[in-house]
């Protein structure tokens, strides 16, 4: 179990285009395990490798939508290696997005409501599926990270400046 430090803006690594994984091996699986630990520790629903400083096209997602009888979330982590956005719906959906690299800041972002994504899982097996709902949104947010794009790039300049100002203020206070 390893919880890794999370890279935050304005770290220039968040603007890198991450590199495809050549072979899914034990090193990839160790990265996935550490990213999953880090995501749960930070209470996020997704994490891209560059957010822990690794320039590889690897994501983990657990929407944590199901809870057990004790009210605690049932963990259901998934790894997505070399994910590719193949097609998207014309219909858009809006979610109030946050990002572990832009702590405690939120903004409504419009994205395609459904997305067809191809990826490899941690065994190296290929998948090709249409995703919808929060999973489609989160997947697009995470694939953006692999391309050096952040959710604040999708909102108006006015809203972006507000988010960045509030973050600066939060950092001064803590
Ligand atoms: O924890 C997260 N919540 C979230 C909410 C709406 C849309 C996307 C996300 S992803 C985010 C974690 C993160 O920063 N992943 O890169
Ligand atoms: Ni993010």
């Amino acid at each position: 179990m390893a919880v890794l430090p999370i890279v935050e803006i304005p770290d220039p690594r968040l603007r890198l285009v991450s590199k495809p994984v050549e072979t899914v091996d034990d090193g990839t699986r160790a990265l996935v395990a550490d990213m999953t630990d880090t995501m749960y520790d930070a209470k996020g629903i997704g994490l891209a490798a560059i957010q822990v400083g690794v320039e590889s096209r690897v994501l983990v997602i657990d929407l944590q939508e199901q809870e057990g009888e004790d009210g605690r979330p049932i963990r259901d982590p998934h790894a997505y290696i070399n994910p590719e956005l193949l097609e998207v719906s014309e219909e858009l959906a809006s979610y109030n997005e946050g990002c572990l690299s832009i702590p405690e800041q939120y903004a409504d972002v419009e994205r395609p409501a459904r997305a067809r994504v191809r990826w490899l899982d941690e065994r190296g097996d290929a998948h090709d599926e249409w995703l919808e709902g929060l999973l489609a949104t989160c997947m697009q947010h995470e694939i953006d990270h692999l391309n050096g794009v952040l959710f604040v790039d999708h909102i108006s300049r006015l809203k972006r400046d507000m988010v960045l100002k509030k973050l600066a203020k939060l950092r001064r206070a803590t």
Side-chain angles (χ1 to χ4, degrees), residues 51 98-101 141-142 145:
Q51 293 181 278
C99 182
L100 297 172
S101 297
H141 174 118
E142 303 307 343
H145 276 300

Side-chain angles (χ1 to χ4, degrees), residues 6-15 50-51 99-105 145 148-153 155 159-168 170-171:
I6 293 180
V7 171
E8 296 183 358
I9 56 162
D11 193 304
R13 289 175 289 178
L14 293 171
R15 295 309 188 174
I50 198 62
Q51 293 181 278
C99 182
L100 297 172
S101 297
I102 312 175
E104 292 172 57
Q105 308 306 316
H145 276 300
V149 175
L150 300 169
F151 84 80
V152 290
D153 301 335
I155 62 182
K159 284 189 185 157
R160 179 164 57 248
D161 288 348
M162 274 169 50
V163 163
L164 299 178
K165 258 193 176 161
K166 279 168 58 194
L167 178 60
L170 172 80
R171 282 174 169 162

Side-chain angles (χ1 to χ4, degrees), residues 1 19-21 37 50 62 73 75-76 79 89 104 116 124 166 168 170:
M1 149 119 197
K19 297 179 169 49
V21 171
D37 291 342
I50 198 62
D62 182 347
R75 290 186 170 184
D76 184 24
S89 63
E104 292 172 57
R116 183 180 158 215
K166 279 168 58 194
L170 172 80

Side-chain angles (χ1 to χ4, degrees), residues 15-32:
R15 295 309 188 174
L16 295 172
V17 177
S18 294
K19 297 179 169 49
V21 171
E22 287 194 11
T23 51
V24 177
D25 57 17
D26 286 348
T28 318
R29 286 182 281 272
L31 172 63
V32 164

